[in-house]
Amino acid sequence: MLRDAKQRCGIIAKESTSLEEELKDIRRNCSSPELDDSFDMSDAFYFCRRGIESIVDDEVTKCFTAEELESWNLLTRSNYNFNHISSRLTVLWGLGVVIRYGFLLPLRLTLAITGVGLLVVLTAMIGFLPNGRMKNFLSEKVHLMCYRICVRALTAIITYHHSENKPKNGGICVANHTSPIDVIILASDGCYAMVGQIHGGLMGLIQRSMVKACPHIWFERSEVKDRHLVAKRLSDHVKDKSKLPILIFPEGTCINNTSVMMFKKGSFEIGSTVYPVAIKYDPRFGEAFWNSSQFGMMNYLLRMMSSWAIVCSVWYLPPMIRQEGEDAMQFANRVKAAIARQGGLVDLLWDGGLKRGKVKDTFKEEQQKLYSKILVGTQEVRSRS
Amino acid sequence: MGSRASSLLREEDIEEIKKETGFSHSQITRLYSRFHSLDKGENGALSREDFQRIPELAINPLGDRIINAFFPEGTNKKYTAREDQVNFRGFMRTLAHFRPVEDNEKNKDLTSGEPLNSRTNKLHFAFQLYDLDRDDKISRDELLQVLRMMVGVNISDEQLGSIADRTIQEADTNGDMCISFSEFTKVLEKVDVEQKMSIRFLH
């Protein structure tokens, strides 16, 4: 039902015919309806129309902005096309502002500071204990408690499904990425080893404290580029069964929770069990997507804490392992499809890196090759690898 | 920041665009949101880079030609403030070519003259994809260049040349080795241009 609503929000209805079908159709009435070795000036129509369609509505650019709501939820930030409707609505909105900023926000800020503060202090204290069962036990309790306080700080109402599939030690947990809050949501229900780059400032302080209590995997900025190093550290961690499951977001960037974009294959090459998790937010109570080009982290957290609530569902999917004859990329796509299906998200092949970077030329070359084959027949097309 | 798009579009502007293009009020506001989301510089106009940021357009073999169609030659102040920028009016004007023809039945109060989405104007849009120097005829060289865009590196120069020659031979009626707009129209008279060069805009 949610998908139907989205389609109604679209601007155009796209034809999903292939290049071949379309060209045959255009030429139907011409003198040479066969396609081999003949070019028609009307061939350009197909590319032209697809080009204009993509200008009006494309799959990718809209993944990087927050989802449009069907009806307004009284938050100014979600107000895209809604004009002034009535004075009563404005009064309601004003009341909402007072409640959210005057009452909810201070309450939540207090909780957040408490949660983070406790995390830093307690994990540092646990760091002094000798390694062993006691340390692990306490570390688990402390992490869970602090994350749960943070969940309250965001008023996140989370529904966990299929908890029997929760990730176990020695596995890798992969999930779709919408915002940094994903981490808090998952970590308040189970213990994970985090993976990430070491930051400076407050974030770095938290990271350094956490790693005293239990082994997380933090990388220096320079190490991040070294794929072999990353893979080695991950697989070392995974081999040690006493260590917690690793939490990874293979998309590599925040997507707006309507689609799942390409999974980077690094995590899928390691060869351990993968526990897929699907996270779906309900945008009506607060938009969780972090548009990092629009606002920074602090601004984002402020918006989170002044929304009505963060409502989401988490599905733990059954564990998956790489099959015989399946390479890392195919495995990644299989996991991605499962997550997309469960969360009701669109499964896209596009790379999340398109948020910041340009698309590779190889895709254009594929299109050109396809057209060439239609034009002159398959044998004559020179193969260029 | 990004959410107040529609408030920047005035009612008078919407009315003018409606008259010129035939789009409905809601279509214009939706397309304005889209325009705004493509406008990364937030200066009310789109540059070529803004278009190239759309991955599906960047991989389209005729992507650059399509982008070019939005930037008409010379600076018609209504549509472009600078030569390399197109404002919302210009954006809508170009898109108007792709409105389905049936919709004209509902909007009889368009300005006099042919509507932008008539068969002739659609054909003219396609003609301009080929006519690189905008001199109103498609030379062999221009045809070759566009063909090269569509096939990439997969076909040899000789073969492409013979395809171009054959195409010009079939179309050229006045012997000037170029394809004029009327010759272009004649060649495509049996093609369902109205359907193939239209996009189904939802209301």
Side-chain angles (χ1 to χ4, degrees):
Chain A
M1 202 188 79
L2 196 60
R3 284 283 285 277
D4 289 337
K6 283 204 200 83
Q7 265 166 18
R8 267 185 279 129
C9 282
I11 309 181
I12 51 178
K14 287 194 185 172
E15 307 281 342
S16 50
T17 45
S18 72
L19 173 59
E20 224 175 308
E21 287 167 12
E22 187 93 7
L23 290 185
K24 279 210 181 96
D25 203 33
I26 298 180
R27 294 187 191 183
R28 206 176 347 126
N29 299 321
C30 294
S31 47
S32 53
E34 288 313 308
L35 287 183
D36 293 329
D37 207 14
S38 70
F39 163 72
D40 210 275
M41 305 281 278
S42 58
D43 286 353
F45 289 4
Y46 173 80
F47 293 113
C48 182
R49 206 191 70 228
R50 293 290 269 228
I52 299 281
E53 274 177 356
S54 65
I55 289 176
V56 175
D57 188 14
D58 79 300
E59 284 181 326
V60 180
T61 51
K62 62 185 181 190
C63 286
F64 301 131
T65 52
E67 196 183 340
E68 263 188 53
L69 290 174
E70 254 197 85
S71 50
W72 196 31
N73 62 352
L74 294 180
L75 294 176
T76 317
R77 63 196 68 143
S78 316
N79 187 351
Y80 291 107
N81 282 322
F82 309 115
N83 304 309
H84 179 81
I85 299 173
S86 73
S87 313
R88 197 166 64 157
L89 202 59
T90 316
V91 168
L92 270 178
W93 171 73
L95 200 62
V97 170
V98 169
I99 297 177
R100 284 185 293 118
Y101 283 91
F103 175 60
L104 291 176
L105 183 59
L107 190 65
R108 288 171 180 166
L109 266 178
T110 320
L111 279 173
I113 295 174
T114 315
V116 172
L118 276 178
L119 183 66
V120 171
V121 167
L122 290 178
T123 47
M125 278 169 51
I126 292 177
F128 290 116
L129 292 174
N131 286 350
R133 276 207 359 235
M134 191 46 149
K135 185 174 184 183
N136 289 344
F137 175 73
L138 279 178
S139 160
E140 206 180 289
K141 291 293 168 229
V142 163
H143 272 102
L144 279 176
M145 181 186 77
C146 295
Y147 280 119
R148 284 185 183 148
I149 297 179
C150 289
V151 164
R152 296 283 170 274
L154 292 167
T155 320
I157 302 165
I158 314 170
T159 319
Y160 296 99
H161 303 267
H162 304 305
S163 293
E164 68 272 12
N165 291 327
K166 255 200 267 194
K168 302 188 178 37
N169 284 9
I172 298 184
C173 175
V174 304
N176 58 315
H177 200 27
T178 307
S179 99
I181 293 182
D182 293 340
V183 174
I184 300 179
I185 288 179
L186 289 180
S188 62
D189 191 46
C191 284
Y192 299 94
M194 313 280 171
V195 180
Q197 199 182 298
I198 279 251
H199 289 95
L202 179 63
M203 199 65 218
L205 178 64
I206 300 174
Q207 286 175 314
R208 275 186 284 274
S209 308
M210 279 168 64
V211 82
K212 289 189 186 126
C214 78
H216 296 284
I217 307 174
W218 303 128
F219 289 101
E220 300 292 332
R221 195 173 210 117
S222 49
E223 293 174 322
V224 171
K225 294 279 186 321
D226 187 348
R227 278 192 52 198
H228 291 294
L229 180 65
V230 171
K232 176 128 193 353
R233 275 185 75 177
L234 289 178
S235 53
D236 285 344
H237 183 108
V238 161
K239 287 201 186 77
D240 185 349
K241 292 294 179 222
S242 68
K243 293 203 174 136
L244 299 166
I246 304 179
L247 178 59
I248 288 187
F249 297 101
E251 282 162 315
T253 187
C254 294
I255 312 292
N256 79 342
N257 209 232
T258 57
S259 341
V260 184
M261 298 188 93
M262 189 180 94
F263 276 7
K264 302 209 187 321
K265 60 183 166 136
S267 346
F268 300 89
E269 285 171 331
I270 296 177
S272 73
T273 319
V274 168
Y275 295 88
V277 175
I279 308 175
K280 179 83 180 106
Y281 291 88
D282 187 338
R284 288 173 298 177
F285 294 95
E287 180 51 57
F289 169 57
W290 180 33
N291 191 342
S292 49
S293 50
Q294 245 189 349
F295 34 88
M297 174 70 99
M298 280 299 133
N299 198 338
Y300 171 71
L301 288 175
L302 192 68
R303 289 158 87 95
M304 284 298 100
M305 291 200 229
S306 60
S307 308
W308 294 115
I310 309 289
V311 179
C312 66
S313 298
V314 175
W315 288 273
Y316 293 105
L317 298 171
M320 292 171 135
I321 41 176
R322 198 163 83 180
Q323 312 276 15
E324 282 293 316
E326 198 181 39
D327 73 1
M329 202 62 227
Q330 289 166 329
F331 181 36
N333 284 335
R334 192 159 59 90
V335 173
K336 175 159 68 83
I339 293 181
R341 204 177 14 236
Q342 180 66 73
L345 306 164
V346 178
D347 188 357
L348 294 179
L349 291 171
W350 297 98
D351 186 350
L354 290 171
K355 199 187 207 177
R356 306 235 155 75
K358 279 196 151 54
V359 66
K360 290 209 267 269
D361 281 333
T362 44
F363 293 108
K364 188 188 227 172
E365 285 158 21
E366 268 172 42
Q367 293 254 309
Q368 289 168 328
K369 198 163 184 180
L370 192 62
Y371 178 64
S372 307
K373 286 204 180 124
I374 293 175
L375 203 54
V376 296
T378 322
Q379 302 95 320
E380 296 188 38
V381 172
R382 273 186 276 146
S383 56
R384 293 283 189 106
S385 49
Chain B
M1 269 163 289
S3 25
R4 289 299 195 164
S6 59
S7 56
L8 298 173
L9 190 64
R10 298 171 308 173
E11 278 303 317
E12 311 95 71
D13 293 330
I14 298 182
E15 282 306 310
E16 276 183 43
I17 295 176
K18 207 162 154 179
K19 274 213 202 74
E20 186 183 0
T21 62
F23 282 114
S24 73
H25 193 283
S26 64
Q27 287 169 338
I28 295 174
T29 41
R30 295 322 252 306
L31 286 166
Y32 187 75
S33 292
R34 173 66 177 171
F35 176 84
H36 195 88
S37 71
L38 292 173
D39 178 16
K40 288 282 186 273
E42 300 222 348
N43 54 355
L46 296 178
S47 64
R48 286 192 163 80
E49 287 77 39
D50 287 323
F51 284 102
Q52 274 153 1
R53 225 176 271 119
I54 304 172
E56 284 169 45
L57 188 61
I59 66 170
N60 189 317
L62 291 181
D64 287 332
R65 295 302 307 151
I66 297 168
I67 295 174
N68 214 48
F70 282 87
F71 298 88
E73 209 150 79
T75 30
N76 184 337
K77 286 283 187 274
K78 255 204 303 189
Y79 308 119
T80 58
R82 292 165 25 190
E83 230 170 65
D84 56 347
Q85 299 232 323
V86 58
N87 63 11
F88 184 58
R89 285 287 295 265
F91 181 71
M92 292 303 281
R93 190 184 157 81
T94 313
L95 287 182
H97 288 85
F98 289 84
R99 274 186 60 240
V101 178
E102 309 83 61
D103 281 5
N104 280 346
E105 299 308 312
K106 304 179 194 148
N107 265 357
K108 286 293 188 191
D109 60 343
L110 292 168
T111 49
S112 59
E114 234 172 68
L116 287 167
N117 63 340
S118 68
R119 186 192 162 86
T120 314
N121 279 328
K122 286 182 198 284
L123 276 168
H124 197 252
F125 191 94
F127 182 77
Q128 288 189 314
L129 288 178
Y130 289 101
D131 182 14
L132 298 168
D133 58 5
R134 292 187 171 154
D135 64 352
D136 285 331
K137 42 185 202 289
I138 305 173
S139 66
R140 180 181 189 272
D141 209 39
E142 287 173 338
L143 186 56
L144 261 180
Q145 281 188 53
V146 175
L147 274 169
R148 185 50 78 192
M149 284 182 212
M150 292 204 275
V151 306
V153 299
N154 299 294
I155 297 183
S156 66
D157 282 333
E158 304 86 54
Q159 205 166 13
L160 215 59
S162 67
I163 291 177
D165 287 329
R166 201 170 37 233
T167 310
I168 294 191
Q169 210 173 32
E170 282 172 7
D172 192 17
T173 48
N174 66 351
D176 64 351
M177 301 308 268
C178 285
I179 306 179
S180 68
F181 182 54
S182 50
E183 287 163 353
F184 185 75
T185 315
K186 185 97 182 46
V187 169
L188 296 175
E189 66 186 346
K190 295 216 190 72
V191 175
D192 187 3
V193 177
E194 289 86 336
Q195 206 237 334
K196 293 304 167 189
M197 291 282 275
S198 291
I199 301 180
R200 290 207 318 255
F201 288 94
L202 302 173
H203 295 287

